[in-house]
Amino acid sequence: MAVKVGLVLGGGGARGYAHVGVLRSIEQRGIKVEAIAGCSMGGIIGALHAAGFKSAEIEEIFGGIDLLGLLDRSSMGGLIGGKGVTRHLEKHLPQTFEELRVPLAVTAVDVQRGRLVVLNKGKLLPALRATSALPGIFAAVKHVGRVMIDGSLLNNLPVDVIRVMTLAPVVAVDTSAPSDRRLVFEDERSLWEKVRTPLMRGKRPLIFEMLMKSIDIPQGPVTSMRLSLNPPEVLIRPPLDPDLKIEDYSRMDEAVKAGYEAAEQKLAAGERVLRETQ
């Protein structure tokens, strides 16, 4: 009898590629995913898996992305709009949550009300844009009468959400950036170098570094508090490089490998618990 689990995939941008490695381990072990709750990149990868794609296919989908082709203008408070992301995802995903093979829920934040929103029905693509709309970077999304941004601000690892969706034991994967990652405040590059290659070779503009840290710092304690109230049966935290940033999409192989190895270790250790709680 196959082990059944509820799967929770957290946010983290390119760090979330580790979820693909976790899915590979789950597939090889014959574990059946009964429901998925995700946030940001975890919500997008969760949607692809819920639509029936295997880990190798998801890796291929992301490997074929033209990042420059995803960029477009925004008028909703972000540097980047969401039309390019929508164009790519709609090639692979159905239009609604109801058409997915596995139940899915994603978290977002209602900007006007300052409240957490759980999206699990109706139009799928706007919900995925909302859950991954990192404040200041990606445009906010108007959907179901709300203006929404990335759910990681209030619930980056929604174990509480999956508990409502299934009685199966829960496997949660946390790929968030460490809140104690040190910033470099000295930058000896010329002004031209900063303008020409602001995000190349790990050289973010300091204003962007500060923006990301302002999100990372509170995210840690909020996630810890939520996990203390709703601990998963198995918690996987892939040992990703602290300097692997949300925009480091060229490091997919590294993240996938870290996710797979961490999942192999954690699932082997937690297999008895997963079986006993079926």
Side-chain angles (χ1 to χ4, degrees):
M1 178 179 172
V3 172
K4 299 177 182 179
V5 302
L7 183 62
V8 180
L9 304 178
R15 299 175 64 86
Y17 280 146
H19 296 317
V20 178
V22 173
L23 287 173
R24 181 178 299 163
S25 176
I26 285 174
E27 291 163 3
Q28 291 177 355
R29 291 176 174 275
I31 296 173
K32 179 178 174 56
V33 176
E34 290 277 281
I36 302 172
C39 178
S40 200
M41 178 63 97
I44 293 173
I45 291 178
L48 289 167
H49 189 67
F53 290 100
K54 300 297 184 183
S55 58
E57 295 170 310
I58 296 174
E59 190 171 4
E60 184 176 347
I61 288 170
F62 280 106
I65 288 179
D66 174 14
L67 293 178
L68 292 178
L70 299 183
L71 304 183
D72 61 274
R73 294 181 180 180
S74 163
S75 60
M76 287 291 292
L79 297 175
I80 303 171
K83 294 180 181 178
V85 175
T86 299
R87 283 195 301 269
H88 186 73
L89 291 178
E90 68 185 2
K91 298 176 185 177
H92 309 285
L93 292 171
Q95 291 296 310
T96 66
F97 280 90
E98 289 77 10
E99 295 172 82
L100 295 170
R101 299 182 184 182
V102 175
L104 171 74
V106 298
T107 58
V109 173
D110 183 323
V111 173
Q112 305 290 31
R113 298 175 177 85
R115 296 178 181 174
L116 182 70
V117 180
V118 177
L119 301 169
N120 59 7
K121 60 184 178 181
K123 293 184 178 180
L124 176 62
L125 296 178
L128 296 182
R129 279 181 54 194
T131 190
S132 57
L134 188 67
I137 308 301
F138 290 98
V141 177
K142 289 183 178 179
H143 181 49
V144 293
R146 302 171 184 263
V147 178
M148 291 182 284
I149 56 175
D150 198 312
S152 65
L153 296 181
L154 293 179
N155 197 349
N156 193 49
L157 196 64
V159 176
D160 55 333
V161 175
I162 201 74
R163 293 293 189 195
V164 180
M165 300 170 67
T166 178
L167 296 176
V170 174
V171 173
V173 188
D174 184 6
T175 59
S176 58
S179 57
D180 61 352
R181 182 179 62 83
R182 297 184 66 83
L183 302 185
V184 177
F185 287 91
E186 297 79 21
D187 191 344
E188 297 178 355
R189 293 177 300 155
S190 68
L191 177 60
W192 169 244
E193 288 177 313
K194 295 176 184 178
V195 172
R196 183 169 61 90
T197 56
L199 296 179
M200 298 298 287
R201 303 182 184 91
K203 294 291 186 179
R204 285 172 170 172
L206 184 56
I207 188 172
F208 187 39
E209 287 279 29
M210 293 297 290
L211 172 63
M212 295 311 304
K213 281 288 284 189
S214 69
I215 296 173
D216 295 341
I217 290 172
Q219 190 179 94
V222 169
T223 298
S224 295
M225 179 186 68
R226 286 185 171 277
L227 287 176
S228 68
L229 296 173
N230 288 283
E233 276 68 29
V234 175
L235 176 60
I236 301 173
R237 284 190 164 123
L240 297 165
D241 181 352
D243 289 322
L244 199 166
K245 302 178 180 65
I246 64 165
E247 71 272 16
D248 286 338
Y249 292 103
S250 63
R251 299 174 68 178
M252 179 170 66
D253 291 347
E254 173 187 341
V256 171
K257 182 174 182 290
Y260 176 76
E261 293 177 350
E264 283 290 279
Q265 180 181 2
K266 287 290 187 176
L267 291 175
E271 186 173 7
R272 189 181 72 174
V273 173
L274 293 178
R275 290 191 178 279
E276 288 177 348
T277 50
Q278 295 296 298

PDB file of all heavy atoms in Angstrom, residues 41-70:
ATOM      1  N   MET A  41       7.064  30.406  -5.321  1.00  0.00           N
ATOM      2  CA  MET A  41       7.607  29.377  -6.203  1.00  0.00           C
ATOM      3  C   MET A  41       7.069  28.001  -5.841  1.00  0.00           C
ATOM      4  O   MET A  41       6.824  27.165  -6.715  1.00  0.00           O
ATOM      5  CB  MET A  41       9.133  29.380  -6.144  1.00  0.00           C
ATOM      6  CG  MET A  41       9.786  28.292  -7.001  1.00  0.00           C
ATOM      7  SD  MET A  41       9.457  28.461  -8.759  1.00  0.00           S
ATOM      8  CE  MET A  41      10.950  29.314  -9.263  1.00  0.00           C
ATOM      9  N   GLY A  42       6.862  27.748  -4.565  1.00  0.00           N
ATOM     10  CA  GLY A  42       6.280  26.474  -4.150  1.00  0.00           C
ATOM     11  C   GLY A  42       4.875  26.288  -4.680  1.00  0.00           C
ATOM     12  O   GLY A  42       4.462  25.166  -5.001  1.00  0.00           O
ATOM     13  N   GLY A  43       4.119  27.391  -4.798  1.00  0.00           N
ATOM     14  CA  GLY A  43       2.782  27.308  -5.360  1.00  0.00           C
ATOM     15  C   GLY A  43       2.813  26.984  -6.846  1.00  0.00           C
ATOM     16  O   GLY A  43       1.996  26.203  -7.341  1.00  0.00           O
ATOM     17  N   ILE A  44       3.784  27.564  -7.565  1.00  0.00           N
ATOM     18  CA  ILE A  44       3.890  27.323  -9.000  1.00  0.00           C
ATOM     19  C   ILE A  44       4.322  25.888  -9.277  1.00  0.00           C
ATOM     20  O   ILE A  44       3.721  25.189 -10.107  1.00  0.00           O
ATOM     21  CB  ILE A  44       4.879  28.323  -9.628  1.00  0.00           C
ATOM     22  CG1 ILE A  44       4.305  29.745  -9.553  1.00  0.00           C
ATOM     23  CG2 ILE A  44       5.179  27.948 -11.082  1.00  0.00           C
ATOM     24  CD1 ILE A  44       5.257  30.823  -9.998  1.00  0.00           C
ATOM     25  N   ILE A  45       5.358  25.425  -8.572  1.00  0.00           N
ATOM     26  CA  ILE A  45       5.806  24.043  -8.765  1.00  0.00           C
ATOM     27  C   ILE A  45       4.719  23.080  -8.301  1.00  0.00           C
ATOM     28  O   ILE A  45       4.476  22.036  -8.924  1.00  0.00           O
ATOM     29  CB  ILE A  45       7.129  23.798  -8.026  1.00  0.00           C
ATOM     30  CG1 ILE A  45       8.252  24.591  -8.714  1.00  0.00           C
ATOM     31  CG2 ILE A  45       7.486  22.308  -7.980  1.00  0.00           C
ATOM     32  CD1 ILE A  45       9.606  24.467  -8.056  1.00  0.00           C
ATOM     33  N   GLY A  46       4.034  23.424  -7.217  1.00  0.00           N
ATOM     34  CA  GLY A  46       2.933  22.593  -6.746  1.00  0.00           C
ATOM     35  C   GLY A  46       1.823  22.486  -7.771  1.00  0.00           C
ATOM     36  O   GLY A  46       1.235  21.419  -7.969  1.00  0.00           O
ATOM     37  N   ALA A  47       1.538  23.579  -8.466  1.00  0.00           N
ATOM     38  CA  ALA A  47       0.498  23.563  -9.501  1.00  0.00           C
ATOM     39  C   ALA A  47       0.892  22.658 -10.655  1.00  0.00           C
ATOM     40  O   ALA A  47       0.059  21.907 -11.186  1.00  0.00           O
ATOM     41  CB  ALA A  47       0.249  24.985 -10.003  1.00  0.00           C
ATOM     42  N   LEU A  48       2.144  22.705 -11.057  1.00  0.00           N
ATOM     43  CA  LEU A  48       2.606  21.844 -12.147  1.00  0.00           C
ATOM     44  C   LEU A  48       2.500  20.371 -11.755  1.00  0.00           C
ATOM     45  O   LEU A  48       2.062  19.534 -12.549  1.00  0.00           O
ATOM     46  CB  LEU A  48       4.048  22.201 -12.518  1.00  0.00           C
ATOM     47  CG  LEU A  48       4.222  23.546 -13.240  1.00  0.00           C
ATOM     48  CD1 LEU A  48       5.694  23.946 -13.266  1.00  0.00           C
ATOM     49  CD2 LEU A  48       3.661  23.484 -14.657  1.00  0.00           C
ATOM     50  N   HIS A  49       2.874  20.058 -10.522  1.00  0.00           N
ATOM     51  CA  HIS A  49       2.764  18.662 -10.065  1.00  0.00           C
ATOM     52  C   HIS A  49       1.297  18.255  -9.953  1.00  0.00           C
ATOM     53  O   HIS A  49       0.923  17.136 -10.318  1.00  0.00           O
ATOM     54  CB  HIS A  49       3.469  18.485  -8.729  1.00  0.00           C
ATOM     55  CG  HIS A  49       3.591  17.053  -8.308  1.00  0.00           C
ATOM     56  ND1 HIS A  49       4.373  16.139  -8.981  1.00  0.00           N
ATOM     57  CD2 HIS A  49       3.013  16.360  -7.291  1.00  0.00           C
ATOM     58  CE1 HIS A  49       4.281  14.951  -8.403  1.00  0.00           C
ATOM     59  NE2 HIS A  49       3.454  15.066  -7.376  1.00  0.00           N
ATOM     60  N   ALA A  50       0.462  19.175  -9.467  1.00  0.00           N
ATOM     61  CA  ALA A  50      -0.969  18.882  -9.333  1.00  0.00           C
ATOM     62  C   ALA A  50      -1.620  18.688 -10.700  1.00  0.00           C
ATOM     63  O   ALA A  50      -2.644  18.009 -10.817  1.00  0.00           O
ATOM     64  CB  ALA A  50      -1.664  20.008  -8.578  1.00  0.00           C
ATOM     65  N   ALA A  51      -1.014  19.264 -11.734  1.00  0.00           N
ATOM     66  CA  ALA A  51      -1.541  19.108 -13.096  1.00  0.00           C
ATOM     67  C   ALA A  51      -1.100  17.797 -13.732  1.00  0.00           C
ATOM     68  O   ALA A  51      -1.548  17.459 -14.828  1.00  0.00           O
ATOM     69  CB  ALA A  51      -1.094  20.279 -13.967  1.00  0.00           C
ATOM     70  N   GLY A  52      -0.212  17.062 -13.063  1.00  0.00           N
ATOM     71  CA  GLY A  52       0.210  15.760 -13.560  1.00  0.00           C
ATOM     72  C   GLY A  52       1.646  15.676 -14.041  1.00  0.00           C
ATOM     73  O   GLY A  52       2.090  14.607 -14.474  1.00  0.00           O
ATOM     74  N   PHE A  53       2.393  16.773 -13.960  1.00  0.00           N
ATOM     75  CA  PHE A  53       3.776  16.743 -14.411  1.00  0.00           C
ATOM     76  C   PHE A  53       4.684  16.071 -13.376  1.00  0.00           C
ATOM     77  O   PHE A  53       4.573  16.339 -12.171  1.00  0.00           O
ATOM     78  CB  PHE A  53       4.291  18.161 -14.684  1.00  0.00           C
ATOM     79  CG  PHE A  53       3.671  18.795 -15.898  1.00  0.00           C
ATOM     80  CD1 PHE A  53       2.634  19.716 -15.761  1.00  0.00           C
ATOM     81  CD2 PHE A  53       4.119  18.472 -17.168  1.00  0.00           C
ATOM     82  CE1 PHE A  53       2.055  20.303 -16.874  1.00  0.00           C
ATOM     83  CE2 PHE A  53       3.544  19.065 -18.294  1.00  0.00           C
ATOM     84  CZ  PHE A  53       2.509  19.973 -18.146  1.00  0.00           C
ATOM     85  N   LYS A  54       5.594  15.226 -13.851  1.00  0.00           N
ATOM     86  CA  LYS A  54       6.593  14.604 -12.997  1.00  0.00           C
ATOM     87  C   LYS A  54       7.771  15.560 -12.806  1.00  0.00           C
ATOM     88  O   LYS A  54       7.903  16.560 -13.510  1.00  0.00           O
ATOM     89  CB  LYS A  54       7.081  13.286 -13.611  1.00  0.00           C
ATOM     90  CG  LYS A  54       5.972  12.268 -13.819  1.00  0.00           C
ATOM     91  CD  LYS A  54       5.359  11.847 -12.497  1.00  0.00           C
ATOM     92  CE  LYS A  54       4.326  10.749 -12.689  1.00  0.00           C
ATOM     93  NZ  LYS A  54       3.662  10.375 -11.416  1.00  0.00           N
ATOM     94  N   SER A  55       8.638  15.230 -11.856  1.00  0.00           N
ATOM     95  CA  SER A  55       9.758  16.115 -11.523  1.00  0.00           C
ATOM     96  C   SER A  55      10.641  16.402 -12.735  1.00  0.00           C
ATOM     97  O   SER A  55      11.064  17.550 -12.941  1.00  0.00           O
ATOM     98  CB  SER A  55      10.588  15.506 -10.393  1.00  0.00           C
ATOM     99  OG  SER A  55      11.078  14.224 -10.755  1.00  0.00           O
ATOM    100  N   ALA A  56      10.932  15.384 -13.539  1.00  0.00           N
ATOM    101  CA  ALA A  56      11.790  15.583 -14.710  1.00  0.00           C
ATOM    102  C   ALA A  56      11.143  16.539 -15.706  1.00  0.00           C
ATOM    103  O   ALA A  56      11.824  17.370 -16.325  1.00  0.00           O
ATOM    104  CB  ALA A  56      12.094  14.247 -15.379  1.00  0.00           C
ATOM    105  N   GLU A  57       9.830  16.454 -15.849  1.00  0.00           N
ATOM    106  CA  GLU A  57       9.119  17.340 -16.771  1.00  0.00           C
ATOM    107  C   GLU A  57       9.098  18.770 -16.245  1.00  0.00           C
ATOM    108  O   GLU A  57       9.243  19.736 -17.018  1.00  0.00           O
ATOM    109  CB  GLU A  57       7.695  16.828 -16.979  1.00  0.00           C
ATOM    110  CG  GLU A  57       7.622  15.472 -17.661  1.00  0.00           C
ATOM    111  CD  GLU A  57       6.226  14.891 -17.646  1.00  0.00           C
ATOM    112  OE1 GLU A  57       5.599  14.854 -16.562  1.00  0.00           O
ATOM    113  OE2 GLU A  57       5.750  14.469 -18.715  1.00  0.00           O
ATOM    114  N   ILE A  58       8.940  18.920 -14.926  1.00  0.00           N
ATOM    115  CA  ILE A  58       8.949  20.256 -14.335  1.00  0.00           C
ATOM    116  C   ILE A  58      10.325  20.897 -14.502  1.00  0.00           C
ATOM    117  O   ILE A  58      10.440  22.083 -14.829  1.00  0.00           O
ATOM    118  CB  ILE A  58       8.558  20.186 -12.846  1.00  0.00           C
ATOM    119  CG1 ILE A  58       7.116  19.678 -12.698  1.00  0.00           C
ATOM    120  CG2 ILE A  58       8.704  21.558 -12.184  1.00  0.00           C
ATOM    121  CD1 ILE A  58       6.689  19.428 -11.269  1.00  0.00           C
ATOM    122  N   GLU A  59      11.367  20.100 -14.305  1.00  0.00           N
ATOM    123  CA  GLU A  59      12.725  20.612 -14.492  1.00  0.00           C
ATOM    124  C   GLU A  59      12.928  21.069 -15.928  1.00  0.00           C
ATOM    125  O   GLU A  59      13.552  22.106 -16.191  1.00  0.00           O
ATOM    126  CB  GLU A  59      13.738  19.526 -14.127  1.00  0.00           C
ATOM    127  CG  GLU A  59      15.165  20.012 -14.062  1.00  0.00           C
ATOM    128  CD  GLU A  59      16.110  18.972 -13.482  1.00  0.00           C
ATOM    129  OE1 GLU A  59      15.668  17.838 -13.202  1.00  0.00           O
ATOM    130  OE2 GLU A  59      17.290  19.296 -13.306  1.00  0.00           O
ATOM    131  N   GLU A  60      12.383  20.321 -16.862  1.00  0.00           N
ATOM    132  CA  GLU A  60      12.509  20.685 -18.273  1.00  0.00           C
ATOM    133  C   GLU A  60      11.737  21.967 -18.586  1.00  0.00           C
ATOM    134  O   GLU A  60      12.205  22.818 -19.346  1.00  0.00           O
ATOM    135  CB  GLU A  60      11.989  19.543 -19.151  1.00  0.00           C
ATOM    136  CG  GLU A  60      12.157  19.776 -20.640  1.00  0.00           C
ATOM    137  CD  GLU A  60      11.716  18.582 -21.471  1.00  0.00           C
ATOM    138  OE1 GLU A  60      11.521  17.495 -20.902  1.00  0.00           O
ATOM    139  OE2 GLU A  60      11.556  18.751 -22.697  1.00  0.00           O
ATOM    140  N   ILE A  61      10.576  22.126 -17.979  1.00  0.00           N
ATOM    141  CA  ILE A  61       9.774  23.333 -18.190  1.00  0.00           C
ATOM    142  C   ILE A  61      10.528  24.568 -17.724  1.00  0.00           C
ATOM    143  O   ILE A  61      10.596  25.588 -18.427  1.00  0.00           O
ATOM    144  CB  ILE A  61       8.426  23.213 -17.459  1.00  0.00           C
ATOM    145  CG1 ILE A  61       7.520  22.202 -18.166  1.00  0.00           C
ATOM    146  CG2 ILE A  61       7.726  24.572 -17.368  1.00  0.00           C
ATOM    147  CD1 ILE A  61       6.272  21.849 -17.396  1.00  0.00           C
ATOM    148  N   PHE A  62      11.132  24.491 -16.544  1.00  0.00           N
ATOM    149  CA  PHE A  62      11.866  25.637 -16.024  1.00  0.00           C
ATOM    150  C   PHE A  62      13.179  25.846 -16.766  1.00  0.00           C
ATOM    151  O   PHE A  62      13.628  26.979 -16.943  1.00  0.00           O
ATOM    152  CB  PHE A  62      12.126  25.473 -14.525  1.00  0.00           C
ATOM    153  CG  PHE A  62      10.941  25.840 -13.675  1.00  0.00           C
ATOM    154  CD1 PHE A  62      10.183  24.853 -13.067  1.00  0.00           C
ATOM    155  CD2 PHE A  62      10.580  27.158 -13.489  1.00  0.00           C
ATOM    156  CE1 PHE A  62       9.088  25.179 -12.281  1.00  0.00           C
ATOM    157  CE2 PHE A  62       9.484  27.501 -12.717  1.00  0.00           C
ATOM    158  CZ  PHE A  62       8.744  26.516 -12.116  1.00  0.00           C
ATOM    159  N   GLY A  63      13.784  24.760 -17.201  1.00  0.00           N
ATOM    160  CA  GLY A  63      15.035  24.880 -17.937  1.00  0.00           C
ATOM    161  C   GLY A  63      14.873  25.565 -19.276  1.00  0.00           C
ATOM    162  O   GLY A  63      15.829  26.150 -19.803  1.00  0.00           O
ATOM    163  N   GLY A  64      13.666  25.532 -19.823  1.00  0.00           N
ATOM    164  CA  GLY A  64      13.417  26.137 -21.130  1.00  0.00           C
ATOM    165  C   GLY A  64      12.887  27.555 -21.057  1.00  0.00           C
ATOM    166  O   GLY A  64      12.515  28.128 -22.083  1.00  0.00           O
ATOM    167  N   ILE A  65      12.874  28.152 -19.861  1.00  0.00           N
ATOM    168  CA  ILE A  65      12.342  29.503 -19.718  1.00  0.00           C
ATOM    169  C   ILE A  65      13.329  30.536 -20.264  1.00  0.00           C
ATOM    170  O   ILE A  65      14.522  30.496 -19.973  1.00  0.00           O
ATOM    171  CB  ILE A  65      12.039  29.822 -18.236  1.00  0.00           C
ATOM    172  CG1 ILE A  65      10.817  29.039 -17.758  1.00  0.00           C
ATOM    173  CG2 ILE A  65      11.793  31.317 -18.035  1.00  0.00           C
ATOM    174  CD1 ILE A  65      10.473  29.279 -16.307  1.00  0.00           C
ATOM    175  N   ASP A  66      12.823  31.456 -21.068  1.00  0.00           N
ATOM    176  CA  ASP A  66      13.571  32.629 -21.493  1.00  0.00           C
ATOM    177  C   ASP A  66      13.244  33.742 -20.507  1.00  0.00           C
ATOM    178  O   ASP A  66      12.187  34.374 -20.586  1.00  0.00           O
ATOM    179  CB  ASP A  66      13.169  33.026 -22.918  1.00  0.00           C
ATOM    180  CG  ASP A  66      13.807  34.334 -23.366  1.00  0.00           C
ATOM    181  OD1 ASP A  66      14.756  34.789 -22.697  1.00  0.00           O
ATOM    182  OD2 ASP A  66      13.348  34.892 -24.384  1.00  0.00           O
ATOM    183  N   LEU A  67      14.155  33.972 -19.539  1.00  0.00           N
ATOM    184  CA  LEU A  67      13.859  34.916 -18.465  1.00  0.00           C
ATOM    185  C   LEU A  67      13.589  36.320 -18.997  1.00  0.00           C
ATOM    186  O   LEU A  67      12.694  37.018 -18.514  1.00  0.00           O
ATOM    187  CB  LEU A  67      15.014  34.947 -17.458  1.00  0.00           C
ATOM    188  CG  LEU A  67      15.218  33.654 -16.668  1.00  0.00           C
ATOM    189  CD1 LEU A  67      16.422  33.784 -15.750  1.00  0.00           C
ATOM    190  CD2 LEU A  67      13.974  33.323 -15.854  1.00  0.00           C
ATOM    191  N   LEU A  68      14.346  36.746 -20.003  1.00  0.00           N
ATOM    192  CA  LEU A  68      14.124  38.078 -20.561  1.00  0.00           C
ATOM    193  C   LEU A  68      12.751  38.161 -21.221  1.00  0.00           C
ATOM    194  O   LEU A  68      12.111  39.218 -21.219  1.00  0.00           O
ATOM    195  CB  LEU A  68      15.220  38.418 -21.579  1.00  0.00           C
ATOM    196  CG  LEU A  68      16.635  38.616 -20.999  1.00  0.00           C
ATOM    197  CD1 LEU A  68      17.623  38.899 -22.118  1.00  0.00           C
ATOM    198  CD2 LEU A  68      16.643  39.760 -19.981  1.00  0.00           C
ATOM    199  N   GLY A  69      12.293  37.036 -21.750  1.00  0.00           N
ATOM    200  CA  GLY A  69      10.990  37.014 -22.405  1.00  0.00           C
ATOM    201  C   GLY A  69       9.831  37.127 -21.425  1.00  0.00           C
ATOM    202  O   GLY A  69       8.698  37.391 -21.831  1.00  0.00           O
ATOM    203  N   LEU A  70      10.109  36.922 -20.126  1.00  0.00           N
ATOM    204  CA  LEU A  70       9.061  37.018 -19.117  1.00  0.00           C
ATOM    205  C   LEU A  70       8.847  38.447 -18.635  1.00  0.00           C
ATOM    206  O   LEU A  70       7.857  38.744 -17.966  1.00  0.00           O
ATOM    207  CB  LEU A  70       9.397  36.132 -17.912  1.00  0.00           C
ATOM    208  CG  LEU A  70       9.536  34.634 -18.170  1.00  0.00           C
ATOM    209  CD1 LEU A  70       9.796  33.919 -16.852  1.00  0.00           C
ATOM    210  CD2 LEU A  70       8.299  34.070 -18.848  1.00  0.00           C
TER     211      LEU A  70
END
